[in-house]
Amino acid sequence: MTRTFSFIILNFKNFKHERVIMTVRTGEQYLESIRNRSKVEIYVMGKEVKDVTTHPFLRPSVMSFKATFDAAWQEDTKELGRAWSPFIEEEINRFNHIHRSPEDLAAKVKLLRKLSHKTGACFQRCVGWDSLNTLNIVSNMMAAKGKREMRDRFVEYLKFVQKRDLALAGAMTDAKGVRNLKPSQQPNKNAYLRITEVTKDGIYVSGAKANITGVAATEEMVVLPTRAMGPEDKDYAVAFALPTDTEGVKIVVGRQLNDSRRMEQGEIDALPYFYNHEGLVIFDNVFVPMNRVFLAGDWEYTGTLVEIFSAYHRQGYGGCKAGLGDVIIGASADLAKQIGVEKASHVQDKLTEMIFLTETMYSAGIAASLNAVKLCEGCWWVNPMHANVTKHLVAKFPAQIAQLSIDIAGGIVGTAPSEWDLKNPKLREYISKYLQGVEDYTAEDRLRMVRLIENVSMGVAFQIESVHGAGSPAAQRIMFSRLYDLNYSQEVAKSLAGRKSELKFTSKAEPWRESQSESEARESGLK
Ligand code: SF4
């Protein structure tokens, strides 16, 4: 396929990204577009940030985001990094692609694994990607039930994003307030983002979305509901898209392990090249034009939407977290060499265990892709059982991988002198002498690798995100229980035990029930 540029300005209502259209942008073009935005309101540690591309806290995160654009141009990732869009009939960056086959879904997992090798961090663009794919399926379901205008709005928005190769955030998790109360029962009426007013031109919303990955580095936010809702919650059943620099939107970036080290502007201790961030996004009576509203009071679709989105994102973890596993395995093996223990049987055994844990996560992600489910024409969803299993493995294995890497690397991961000590002329000679192991390596080699293990294995992306990103472990367990047909397996067991059984073998190999999304697609006549 040929590289495609279009040099036309589209006339999309309320369009703020007044720039030349490019369906596959370079990383530099992305950086240029988010530099010095006039209306954006972003705070880091209490201070407002205007240029996210130079701020020491946010720059590593921006560089990880940039890697998703570079991937479409670099020889080793170009094929995975691009896809053909039938919506605009052009080649686009895969991060804005609608999956059209199980192979497309597997390409996603492979691309994420490779990008983890290039960043050692979460590169943050997949949540927006999963949001587009979710809305693609849900808007088809809505159209099948007579809500054609939602489908038309979504397709126009998708084309708008694909033509400009925009960087999207997916904003789903609400502040949630009191967890055992529904949105409409909350003492704080804005604990879940809600529609406060509807006019003929659009809607006004107030509330907040929490833990929003990479949001300060994006150009647009796709906002989705965070849970299944009933008719009493219809004001909270809202989905839309907005430019990140919309008036009334405030982004408060969250603190992280070692964040103040990044402010020191060193080059070793904070791993200042690539990182990721999450933010609290506050919507203070924000206007959303009607052509960007995809759900407004349509509570009947919220359960399906959440099921589809969460399975998409859970599948992706099989790629990105396996890729981070590779980084930690490599760093641990290198450190073992540096101190002369690489041939010790217990070290070999630990590395083998780390490989097993990493490849198990990846295998599940690939299974979720290749056993995909077609929900409508041109809509491929991941296999919901495999996707939930993937995420559940990811909630457990990174902690084990980190522990094994610390076991190999030694206590130095928590006790090493700073890079500033190494750079101090009064100390350099001593530290060089006492931190060195095998002669082929320097103390600086060791310190760099120790810091890589510290920052990657204990950072947000590998530890916190792995547990709670794309839903808590409990949410995946609920999904296994819903999808697994215990009655069927009991009948299998009864029949083999020679007891009276109602067993009628089905054509499926697995004792799985249909998911809510599959049954919705079937009932809508899409499947
Ligand atoms: Fe992408 Fe993984 Fe980060 Fe999610 S956690 S945005 S799948 S890199």
Side-chain angles (χ1 to χ4, degrees):
M1 280 183 272
T2 52
R3 183 199 316 166
T4 312
F5 289 115
S6 301
F7 294 93
I8 318 156
I9 301 289
L10 274 193
N11 180 22
F12 189 73
K13 202 174 164 200
N14 301 303
F15 169 49
K16 289 193 178 182
H17 306 282
E18 296 294 341
R19 68 171 73 88
V20 174
I21 295 168
M22 285 193 181
T23 60
V24 186
R25 283 192 292 172
T26 63
E28 288 305 321
Q29 286 166 332
Y30 155 70
L31 286 188
E32 204 43 51
S33 78
I34 58 164
R35 215 186 298 276
N36 298 318
R37 290 172 288 181
S38 60
K39 290 194 200 132
V40 76
E41 205 177 331
I42 298 169
Y43 298 87
V44 171
M45 294 167 74
K47 297 202 175 80
E48 198 168 348
V49 175
K50 278 295 167 202
D51 185 358
V52 296
T53 67
T54 53
H55 192 276
F57 189 110
L58 287 174
R59 184 172 167 78
S61 181
V62 168
M63 296 313 284
S64 294
F65 222 110
K66 176 177 173 285
T68 67
F69 290 89
D70 292 335
W73 292 92
Q74 291 165 342
E75 276 313 310
D76 61 320
T77 43
K78 203 169 165 181
E79 189 148 347
L80 282 175
R82 295 177 179 216
W84 178 259
S85 167
F87 293 93
I88 60 169
E89 300 195 330
E90 289 195 57
E91 193 173 37
I92 59 169
N93 187 302
R94 187 178 288 280
F95 275 91
N96 287 328
H97 181 52
I98 297 298
H99 311 293
R100 300 186 58 75
S101 65
E103 290 71 28
D104 263 350
L105 286 158
K108 172 189 173 191
V109 174
K110 288 173 192 233
L111 178 60
L112 303 198
R113 188 166 184 172
K114 282 203 69 119
L115 278 171
S116 286
H117 297 170
K118 297 197 175 190
T119 60
C122 158
F123 25 89
Q124 310 149 100
R125 202 174 171 189
C126 329
V127 196
W129 185 9
D130 293 336
S131 304
L132 288 180
N133 276 277
T134 301
L135 285 171
N136 180 52
I137 295 174
V138 172
S139 65
N140 262 303
M141 289 172 172
M142 294 176 86
K145 292 204 169 158
K147 296 209 162 184
R148 184 76 226 172
E149 78 277 15
M150 296 301 192
R151 175 73 190 156
D152 293 342
R153 283 179 203 168
F154 172 70
V155 171
E156 275 314 298
Y157 181 69
L158 178 68
K159 289 183 187 170
F160 167 78
V161 168
Q162 289 186 338
K163 282 201 179 259
R164 287 161 185 77
D165 192 7
L166 294 176
L168 305 185
M172 193 170 203
T173 309
D174 289 275
K176 291 185 188 168
V178 187
R179 299 299 195 272
N180 63 345
L181 297 180
K182 291 178 179 174
S184 53
Q185 296 169 330
Q186 295 283 336
N188 169 7
K189 287 290 162 218
N190 295 345
Y192 287 75
L193 184 75
R194 70 182 174 120
I195 302 170
T196 53
E197 191 185 341
V198 182
T199 70
K200 67 175 178 27
D201 298 323
I203 58 172
Y204 286 85
V205 293
S206 282
K209 291 285 181 178
N211 319 327
I212 305 310
T213 299
V215 61
T218 63
E219 294 157 294
E220 289 263 330
M221 294 178 290
V222 180
V223 178
L224 303 177
T226 197
R227 58 179 283 173
M229 295 179 194
E232 64 284 6
D233 297 319
K234 70 177 174 39
D235 290 345
Y236 300 86
V238 59
F240 57 86
L242 272 182
T244 309
D245 57 353
T246 298
E247 211 169 326
V249 171
K250 300 173 204 310
I251 296 168
V252 186
V253 175
R255 290 214 73 166
Q256 297 170 333
L257 183 84
N258 293 341
D259 54 11
S260 50
R261 285 193 199 172
R262 262 178 264 152
M263 304 299 210
E264 296 168 5
Q265 311 232 34
E267 40 150 357
I268 301 176
D269 285 359
L271 213 67
Y273 318 105
F274 299 101
Y275 218 71
N276 44 274
H277 76 271
E278 265 75 28
L280 176 70
V281 184
I282 298 160
F283 295 82
D284 185 7
N285 201 30
V286 172
F287 176 71
V288 187
M290 206 54 101
N291 64 332
R292 282 168 163 266
V293 176
F294 311 124
L295 281 192
D298 307 278
W299 61 271
E300 318 89 286
Y301 297 94
T302 51
T304 309
L305 182 148
V306 171
E307 185 180 84
I308 293 173
F309 173 86
S310 50
Y312 270 133
H313 207 65
R314 289 168 192 175
Q315 165 238 18
Y317 275 39
C320 68
K321 304 307 178 203
L324 292 181
D326 297 328
V327 172
I328 296 165
I329 291 168
S332 308
D334 185 81
L335 267 177
K337 269 196 209 157
Q338 291 199 33
I339 55 173
V341 296
E342 79 274 21
K343 295 211 169 73
S345 63
H346 70 95
V347 170
Q348 292 283 324
D349 193 48
K350 283 167 192 136
L351 288 170
T352 305
E353 180 68 11
M354 290 160 82
I355 293 168
F356 162 70
L357 296 168
T358 296
E359 294 301 342
T360 304
M361 296 189 286
Y362 185 62
S363 305
I366 291 291
S369 312
L370 296 181
N371 281 334
V373 181
K374 190 175 180 183
L375 289 187
C376 47
E377 205 41 53
C379 314
W380 281 89
W381 186 42
V382 292
N383 181 290
M385 178 64 97
H386 289 314
N388 279 281
V389 167
T390 306
K391 173 61 216 316
H392 210 56
L393 295 172
V394 168
K396 291 166 186 258
F397 289 179
Q400 294 178 40
I401 293 170
Q403 196 178 29
L404 290 162
S405 81
I406 292 166
D407 195 344
I408 294 172
I412 193 170
V413 177
T415 62
S418 74
E419 67 176 283
W420 309 112
D421 296 314
L422 185 65
K423 287 172 179 168
N424 182 332
K426 285 191 188 165
L427 296 172
R428 183 167 184 96
E429 194 186 325
Y430 295 109
I431 290 179
S432 299
K433 185 157 67 173
Y434 294 118
L435 238 64
Q436 191 182 29
V438 172
E439 271 190 355
D440 296 350
Y441 302 93
T442 64
E444 186 178 325
D445 290 336
R446 189 163 171 215
L447 190 60
R448 282 186 181 276
M449 213 47 99
V450 161
R451 292 300 183 208
L452 182 68
I453 288 188
E454 181 194 10
N455 282 289
V456 177
S457 74
M458 287 180 266
V460 177
F462 205 53
Q463 292 304 328
I464 320 290
E465 229 173 40
S466 290
V467 177
H468 273 292
S472 63
Q476 289 113 52
R477 295 179 87 85
I478 290 168
M479 283 307 294
F480 310 154
S481 326
R482 266 193 212 152
L483 293 170
Y484 190 91
D485 189 347
L486 258 182
N487 290 334
Y488 187 84
S489 56
Q490 282 179 81
E491 291 305 321
V492 169
K494 271 159 63 180
S495 118
L496 287 173
R499 288 174 52 197
K500 189 166 175 289
S501 167
E502 305 294 322
L503 181 66
K504 281 199 188 75
F505 280 112
T506 64
S507 56
K508 281 201 291 192
E510 311 88 358
W512 294 347
R513 295 194 187 94
E514 197 175 53
S515 64
Q516 182 179 329
S517 308
E518 289 165 279
S519 87
E520 175 79 37
R522 190 172 39 72
E523 281 162 19
S524 312
L526 293 169
K527 181 175 184 260

